[in-house]
Amino acid sequence: MIDTIKTTPYMDQKMGTAGLRKKSKVVLQPNYFENFIQSIFNVISPQGKTYVIGGDGRFYNDIAIQKLIKMAAANGVKKLIVGQNGYLSTPASSNMILKNHTDGGFVLTASHNPGGENGDFGIKFATSTGGQCSAQVSERIFNETQNISEYKIMNSADVDLSQIGSQKLLDMEIEVVDPIKDYVKLMEGIFDFPAIRKLFAEGFTMRFDAMNAVTGPYAIEIFENVLGAAKGSVLNSTPKPDFGGLHPDPNLVYAKELVDIMYSDDAPDFGAANDGDGDRNMILGKKFFVTPSDSLAILTDNYAYIPAYKNGIFGVAKSMATSTAVARVAARHNIGYYEVPTGWKYFVNLMDSRRITFCGEESFGTGSSHIREKDGIWAILFWLNIIASSKKSVEEITMEHWKKYGRSYYLRFDFDGIKTDVANDLMKNLENKLPSLTGKTYGEFKIKLAEVFTYHDPVDNSSTSNGMRILTEDGSRIVFRLSGTSSSGATLRVYLEKLEHEKLREDPVAMVEGLLKIAFEVAEIRERTGKQKADIIT
Ligand code: VG1
Ligand code: CO
C-alpha cells in the first residue's frame, strides 16, 4: 500500500560541493531524509525510470536505503539496481549508471566526513551522465525542499538486500547486484594487469588502508585476489557504521596508521588509502608522500604506459585550487588544459564533450573519463601500472618529474568551525580589497593579479564563481575558498603554492611560509577568526 504522508519543510537542505551533507542527528529528524528524497523525485519525474542505489556503509545507511527503496516504488520508479547489502562506492555507482544506461543514481554517503551517530550523513545524487547533478538542478531541488508538503512511501516490510538477484516491490523491480565484479572488469580493461601481477609476484609490497569504509572488499578482490599482493596488504578492510572511529579522509593527518607504516624502517614499497565512499586516494612511497596535485601531473605525463590511454588522451583539467603542476605537463604534451571550480560535477561536461580524459583536485581526487566521478582505486592502479612498466619507485618517478618540470610546493591550510557570518564577512572584505592588491609587493613577492575566480563552462555556457586567487610574478599562488562540505559552521581553506626549479627537497611548510604570512595579512585571518594558526594542514 502507498501512504501519502503530510510533512513540513526543512530550510537547510541545500546541496554543497558534493551532494547534501549534514550531521547524522540532523538527518535523523522526522521526515528529514524523506523530504529531501521526495524533493528530488518531484524535480526528476522518476516514473518508469531506472536508478542505481547504494551507500558507503556508514551509520543510517541501512535504514535510509530501505526508505529510499520504498519511496522509489511509491513514486513509480520502474527499476532499482542496488549494491549487495546496500553498499556501493561512488566510483562503482557511476560505472553502473553508465554501463546500464540508467537515469541516475543515489549514493548514501558523507564521503570523507566521519560517520556514526555523532558524525555525518549525506546523499549524492547523480544523473544519467554518471556524474552528480549540476548546480542548476540542485538549485531546483533546493527550491522544492522549501515548499514540500507531502511525500509518498510504500507501507511494506523491509527488502532483503543480502541475496544477489531480482525481486519486486509493487510494480518496481529491485535487482541486487555484486558491485565489485563490474568494477574489477572496468579496471582490467584499462590497466596492464599482467604487468602488475608480475610486479607482485617478484616481491613488490604494498599496504592499502580502506579506513573501515566501503572500498575494503573491492581492494581485497583487486589487490590481493586478482593481482596477487600478499594477504594482509589491505588494512581496515571491513566497512563499519562508524568507520571504527576513524576519520575516513586519506591524508597524512587522518590516515595515520598507514603513514606510520610507510615512514617506518621496514616500510613496504607502496602505500595508498581511500576515503569513505572510495573516490579519494592518497599515494605514498617508502618514506615518501606524493601530493594529489603532483599525482595528477605525474599520471598525465605517464599516460603512455597505460593500455587504455597509450594511443593518446584528450586534455586534462584541474580545480582552480589544485596546484599548477599539471598545467606544465599539458603545455609540454600540447593537450587541452582547463581550470574549473571545486567539485567533480564541473568536469562532467568536459569529459562528455571529449575535451579532457584526466582530471583532478588537490583534495586527494584523481580520475578519468572511464566514469564521471573521481576514483580512488583507479588512481592507485595507475601508479602500480607506471611502477610495473617503468621499474622505478614512487620516489624515483616523482623526483624525475620535478627535475623535468620543477616542483610546485603546495599545502592547504584549513581553518575549521568559524561562525558562518564571520567567514562570510572575511571573504567579502577580502573581495573588496582585491583590486588594491594587484601590483603590491610583499617581501619577495610581487602580486600580478588578485581576482575572484569565475569559470565559464564551454559546453553549457553557465558561469560559476568560486573562491579568490592571488597570483605573483614568480608563479606562486594564494587561493581562498569557503568549504562546501562542512556540516556545521564554516571552514576557510587557504591554498598556497610556490614553484621551484632548483631546490627540490625542501620542507613544504618552510617553502610556503612567506605566502602564509601574506594570506594571514590580506584576509585578516587572526583579527577576524581569533585563530593564530590553521586547524589542519594537508
Ligand atoms: C571538498 C574538496 C573538493 C571535493 C569535495 C567532495 O570540498 O575540497 O575538492 O570535490 O570535498 O569530495 P569543499 O567544498 O569542502 O572544499 V568527496 O570525496 O566528499 O565527494
Ligand atoms: Co569521497
Side-chain angles (χ1 to χ4, degrees), residues 292-403:
S293 297
D294 279 342
S295 182
L296 174 64
I298 290 167
L299 300 190
T300 304
D301 198 34
N302 288 287
Y303 72 84
Y305 282 124
I306 312 300
Y309 309 121
K310 69 169 190 295
N311 294 329
I313 53 172
F314 299 118
V316 59
K318 71 171 190 76
S319 66
M320 184 273 280
T322 303
S323 99
T324 55
V326 73
R328 299 191 289 280
V329 177
R332 188 178 288 213
H333 286 270
N334 200 18
I335 54 174
Y337 167 71
Y338 300 84
E339 244 185 342
V340 308
T342 292
W344 212 260
K345 55 179 174 272
Y346 296 103
F347 294 129
V348 172
N349 280 346
L350 298 175
M351 290 191 261
D352 283 346
S353 62
R354 300 183 157 215
R355 284 174 165 81
I356 62 166
T357 302
F358 298 149
C359 43
E361 295 189 288
E362 53 64 43
S363 54
F364 298 80
T366 343
S368 93
S369 54
H370 65 293
I371 52 169
R372 296 294 178 273
E373 290 279 5
K374 52 190 184 267
D375 189 341
I377 289 181
W378 172 90
I380 294 163
L381 288 169
F382 203 137
W383 270 94
L384 288 172
N385 198 153
I386 297 175
I387 292 166
S389 304
S390 69
K391 312 259 183 271
K392 288 174 191 151
S393 69
V394 172
E395 181 169 350
E396 285 164 345
I397 293 165
T398 309
M399 283 308 300
E400 278 181 19
H401 185 86
W402 289 339
K403 280 185 193 137

Side-chain angles (χ1 to χ4, degrees), residues 17-18 21 110-112 124 132 275 277 279-280 342-344 361-363 374 412 481-486 493 495:
T17 313
R21 206 162 292 191
S111 198
H112 60 286
K124 289 181 177 178
Q132 286 168 59
D275 74 332
D277 62 332
D279 54 358
R280 296 186 177 206
T342 292
W344 212 260
E361 295 189 288
E362 53 64 43
S363 54
K374 52 190 184 267
R412 180 174 107 182
R481 282 182 66 245
L482 294 184
S483 159
T485 59
S486 50
R493 303 204 197 283
Y495 311 77

